[in-house]
């Protein structure tokens, strides 16, 4: 199980939840009222599921693929530890995961 901590854009803790191995972070966020649009529902066509991962946790995640990196290049408010929530899977080895919801999201597919 993974203890997931969702932080607001200002850094304050919003919610702490337990997630099961195999769950996508985007689904965990949706189930817990987080303001992530996820417009394409995880087919990597929007970048509205962008989250900023805690630096220590970021290094413990499998690296982003080329397609994810390309989408992050056009997401709003990107940082060095940005990821797409639809591409992060909970696992037995991931004990904790802290993420922050960015201040803005950009759905380039609709603009
Ligand atoms: Fe669209 Fe993640 S939900 S890229």
């Amino acid at each position: 199980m993974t203890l997931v901590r969702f932080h607001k854009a200002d850094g304050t803790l919003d919610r702490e939840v337990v997630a099961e191995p195999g769950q996508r972070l985007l689904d965990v966020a949706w189930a817990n009222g987080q303001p992530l649009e996820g417009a394409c529902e995880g087919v990597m066509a929007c970048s509205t599921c962008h989250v900023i991962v805690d630096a220590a946790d970021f290094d413990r995640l499998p690296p982003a693929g080329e397609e994810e990196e390309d989408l992050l290049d056009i997401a709003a408010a990107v940082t060095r530890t940005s990821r797409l929530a639809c591409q992060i899977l909970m696992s037995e080895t991931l004990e904790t995961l802290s993420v922050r919801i960015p201040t803005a999201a950009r759905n380039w597919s609709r603009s």
Side-chain angles (χ1 to χ4, degrees), residues 87-108:
Q87 300 304 308
I88 297 177
L89 287 181
M90 303 301 111
S91 70
E92 292 288 356
T93 56
L94 190 64
E95 292 180 1
T96 61
L97 177 63
S98 291
V99 298
R100 183 161 52 87
I101 308 298
T103 50
R106 179 184 304 143
N107 186 354
W108 61 270

Side-chain angles (χ1 to χ4, degrees), residues 44-105:
M44 280 209 282
C46 71
S47 84
T48 61
C49 64
H50 167 217
V51 292
I52 298 165
V53 179
D54 174 81
D57 292 339
F58 182 83
D59 292 336
R60 294 189 292 117
L61 293 174
E66 199 173 317
E67 206 177 339
E68 182 179 353
E69 293 283 4
D70 287 347
L71 268 181
L72 285 168
D73 283 344
I74 56 170
V78 172
T79 76
R80 188 187 69 77
T81 61
S82 288
R83 292 294 302 265
L84 296 179
C86 68
Q87 300 304 308
I88 297 177
L89 287 181
M90 303 301 111
S91 70
E92 292 288 356
T93 56
L94 190 64
E95 292 180 1
T96 61
L97 177 63
S98 291
V99 298
R100 183 161 52 87
I101 308 298
T103 50

